[in-house]
Amino acid sequence: MNLTSLETNADQRLSLQKSVIEYAEDFLNSLENRKAYEYDSYEKKDQDSFFDIDEQNHPIEDILPFIAVRVDKPGLNPASGGHLGYIPGGGIYESALGDYLAAVSNRYAGVFYASPGAVRMENALIDWAAKLIGYTGRFGGNLTSGGSIANLIAISTAREAKKLKGKDLESTVIYTSQQTHHSLQKAIKLCGLSECILRIIDLDEDYRIIPEKLNTQVLEDQKQGLQPFLIIANAGSTDVGAVDPLNAIASIAEEHDLWFHVDAAYGGFFQLTAQGKEVMSGIEKADSVILDPHKGLFLPYGSGIVLIKNIEHLAAANSYEANYMQDTKMHQDEMSPAELSPELSKHFRGMRMWLPLKLHGIGPFKACLEEKMELAQYFYTKIKAMGFEVGPAPVLSTVIFRFLPKDKDANEFNAAIVKAIHQDGRIFISSTTLNGQFYMRVAVLSFRTHKKEIDLLLEIIEKQLIEK
């Protein structure tokens, strides 16, 4: 198809849609036969020159085969049920349709004046997520591109709410743990808080913050004339899926007037389950919480949420004035995303989350999360029975494990098993290092992951033990 105008007619659109939909259907229908990881796929090819942009136009019939070979095959396949590394999500199909509708209509979801429907939709999603974690009253939030930006907004809001000035930073204290996600380190830096004192609080055997150690450190800092400012806790750490004792930490934060932030990017939506709600008791006491729908709601990448207990703090941290935006003040029925985040221009992200929830209802999401917890427990029991050393029993859906050979270096031995699993490619797992020890790591959170993928992984691991 030779497109000479940016305005396509109905026949051209239908032709493009037909080609793209056929490609997408082939991709989805062939997932069972696709690897979760293509180990030998990183070398640059001559055909990669097709990535370059020039004056020439190309038909869709040339473009899609190139995407199939050089984009959708190399590296990780996050759509695969065999993707058990990092924190997968899978990318439910209905979200793609939501993105399509949002992009075609090109609704501007930044301010209520421009698209009251889009803003009402996004605010309804914020309202649902906030009530899910137990917020009441005048809370606020924003749909973000992921956990990193959500954490950035939360830390920026904390700084504004506590009225920190540059002259205060060298005596201001932030409390974290070794399990704190690196995006929070970046957020601290980007918010101009690098000069703050960073305290790494000791963890218990399950990689959770020890409240007594935190409280002792806060008291000691106060005694030294320092200013405790912020405590960051996990509700599902990336390494091991640990959930810190949120109730106890919340009490310490309240007693000493610290801002209490919970990173629930991974674990937050497990609140839909009875076990998740029990494990995360106290999350509702946090001043700020982040969640990632592209994890626990299985949406495509690029879906995060930041929630702030007091919307006035969020608004104050993101207030702005611009003469050319004066018309937007004519309609102020609801708070706008642009008033509650650093973004002004933004994609209409709400549709990719709202459409699947409306089509399915909440029940299937809850059932899927419960299945993932059961699969993690199943894997934990099986791998332990095979003679592997395991980490904490999974409270969510992550398991760490390693084999201790009698006559070989344990770190090298386990790294070799991971490499062999990657070379096989049918299942992908990741690894991590804790206290200098190399661990294999399984994270079960793709909606396409079921018992057969777990059994296949166990079979591959058992084979590797025999061969090594």
Side-chain angles (χ1 to χ4, degrees):
M1 181 183 296
N2 183 17
L3 301 178
T4 58
S5 170
L6 293 178
E7 184 65 79
T8 53
N9 61 39
D11 289 340
Q12 290 171 324
R13 291 195 298 272
L14 287 173
S15 177
L16 286 170
Q17 287 172 12
K18 182 174 183 293
S19 296
V20 170
I21 289 173
E22 286 178 354
Y23 175 86
E25 287 299 309
D26 178 70
F27 175 83
L28 293 173
N29 291 332
S30 64
L31 274 176
E32 287 285 326
N33 301 315
R34 290 173 179 258
K35 288 186 173 182
Y37 182 54
E38 295 286 347
Y39 182 80
D40 295 316
S41 65
Y42 291 88
E43 183 181 352
K44 191 168 184 177
K45 306 286 187 181
D46 290 341
Q47 67 200 105
D48 287 349
S49 61
F50 195 74
F51 281 118
D52 299 337
I53 304 299
D54 52 34
E55 292 290 335
Q56 187 176 356
N57 66 320
H58 300 270
I60 195 71
E61 291 79 13
D62 289 347
I63 294 170
L64 291 175
F66 173 77
I67 292 173
V69 174
R70 299 306 297 150
V71 177
D72 286 339
K73 185 176 180 181
L76 276 172
N77 180 3
S80 169
H83 181 11
L84 303 175
Y86 311 113
I87 306 291
I92 52 179
Y93 179 72
E94 295 84 352
S95 282
L97 298 180
D99 275 344
Y100 174 76
L101 290 172
V104 167
S105 65
N106 198 31
R107 302 304 300 182
Y108 171 55
V111 295
F112 183 82
Y113 169 75
S115 184
V119 171
R120 284 193 173 108
M121 181 186 291
E122 297 203 350
N123 286 348
L125 292 168
I126 293 295
D127 185 74
W128 173 70
K131 289 177 179 175
L132 177 65
I133 67 163
Y135 274 179
T136 58
R138 286 275 295 164
F139 54 77
N142 192 257
L143 301 185
T144 71
S145 60
S148 294
I149 300 303
N151 275 324
L152 178 64
I153 294 172
I155 301 305
S156 171
T157 303
R159 175 173 181 161
E160 181 71 23
K162 294 298 185 181
K163 304 189 184 306
L164 288 187
K165 306 298 181 185
K167 62 183 177 61
D168 304 322
L169 298 184
E170 291 185 354
S171 60
T172 297
V173 189
I174 298 172
Y175 304 88
T176 70
S177 79
Q178 292 290 356
Q179 287 292 301
T180 298
H181 195 268
H182 65 268
S183 66
L184 278 151
Q185 299 169 11
K186 292 173 67 174
I188 289 167
K189 183 176 182 179
L190 290 168
C191 289
L193 299 173
S194 296
E195 295 175 71
C196 291
I197 300 165
L198 193 64
R199 302 292 195 205
I200 308 300
I201 305 302
D202 290 343
L203 304 175
D204 64 18
E205 60 184 9
D206 292 331
Y207 299 94
R208 302 173 305 177
I209 286 175
I210 302 172
E212 295 78 11
K213 296 283 188 179
L214 171 62
N215 193 56
T216 298
Q217 185 63 64
V218 172
L219 290 171
E220 180 61 30
D221 289 336
Q222 289 175 332
K223 190 183 298 183
Q224 294 181 22
L226 303 176
Q227 179 58 52
F229 156 53
L230 167 69
I231 171 64
I232 298 170
N234 284 306
S237 66
T238 301
D239 268 342
V240 301
V243 178
D244 288 319
L246 303 179
N247 266 314
I249 295 172
S251 295
I252 295 168
E254 182 179 11
E255 179 181 353
H256 300 292
D257 195 28
L258 280 81
W259 183 277
F260 180 27
H261 175 65
V262 176
D263 184 345
Y266 165 28
F269 284 107
F270 280 94
Q271 287 273 98
L272 288 168
T273 72
Q275 180 177 323
K277 189 169 286 292
E278 180 181 351
V279 168
M280 283 176 267
S281 175
I283 194 171
E284 73 281 357
K285 299 174 183 177
D287 295 293
S288 55
V289 178
I290 73 154
L291 311 91
D292 273 0
H294 64 218
K295 296 183 173 75
L297 288 185
F298 320 110
L299 270 57
Y301 288 123
S303 309
I305 298 178
V306 59
L307 301 170
I308 306 295
K309 196 170 194 175
N310 184 340
I311 194 173
E312 301 304 327
H313 292 322
L314 184 60
N318 294 280
S319 61
Y320 69 94
E321 293 292 337
N323 291 338
Y324 78 96
M325 296 287 289
Q326 64 188 22
D327 294 342
T328 66
K329 304 299 182 183
M330 290 192 294
H331 296 281
Q332 288 285 335
D333 294 33
E334 298 199 23
M335 292 289 286
S336 297
E339 298 173 289
L340 303 173
S341 84
E343 288 185 294
L344 184 57
S345 297
K346 69 182 292 291
H347 175 59
F348 179 17
R349 296 189 187 100
M351 186 67 83
R352 59 163 40 198
M353 181 176 170
W354 185 83
L355 184 62
L357 285 169
K358 294 300 286 187
L359 285 170
H360 291 290
I362 295 170
F365 292 91
K366 175 183 176 181
C368 200
L369 288 168
E370 289 173 338
E371 180 196 23
K372 304 319 158 196
M373 289 191 289
E374 291 170 1
L375 289 174
Q377 185 60 54
Y378 171 76
F379 178 81
Y380 176 86
T381 302
K382 289 289 188 180
I383 203 71
K384 187 176 181 180
M386 288 169 59
F388 281 76
E389 178 185 273
V390 293
V395 294
L396 299 177
S397 64
T398 298
V399 180
I400 60 168
F401 61 102
R402 64 182 185 137
F403 194 79
L404 300 178
K406 293 180 180 179
D407 55 352
K408 297 178 181 178
D409 180 84
N411 285 358
E412 292 179 2
F413 186 86
N414 287 280
I417 292 179
V418 171
K419 182 177 180 181
I421 294 170
H422 288 178
Q423 288 175 325
D424 179 274
R426 289 174 292 170
I427 300 291
F428 178 82
I429 69 171
S430 59
S431 66
T432 191
T433 299
L434 296 166
N435 301 320
Q437 303 300 321
F438 184 100
Y439 282 90
M440 291 178 275
R441 179 180 167 281
V442 163
V444 188
L445 201 61
S446 170
F447 71 100
R448 294 189 175 105
T449 300
H450 306 294
K451 184 174 178 290
K452 63 184 177 65
E453 281 80 20
I454 304 301
D455 285 337
L456 175 58
L457 173 59
L458 289 165
E459 177 187 318
I460 294 170
I461 292 173
E462 187 173 31
K463 179 183 176 184
Q464 288 304 313
L465 278 184
I466 294 171
E467 292 181 355
K468 295 184 184 311

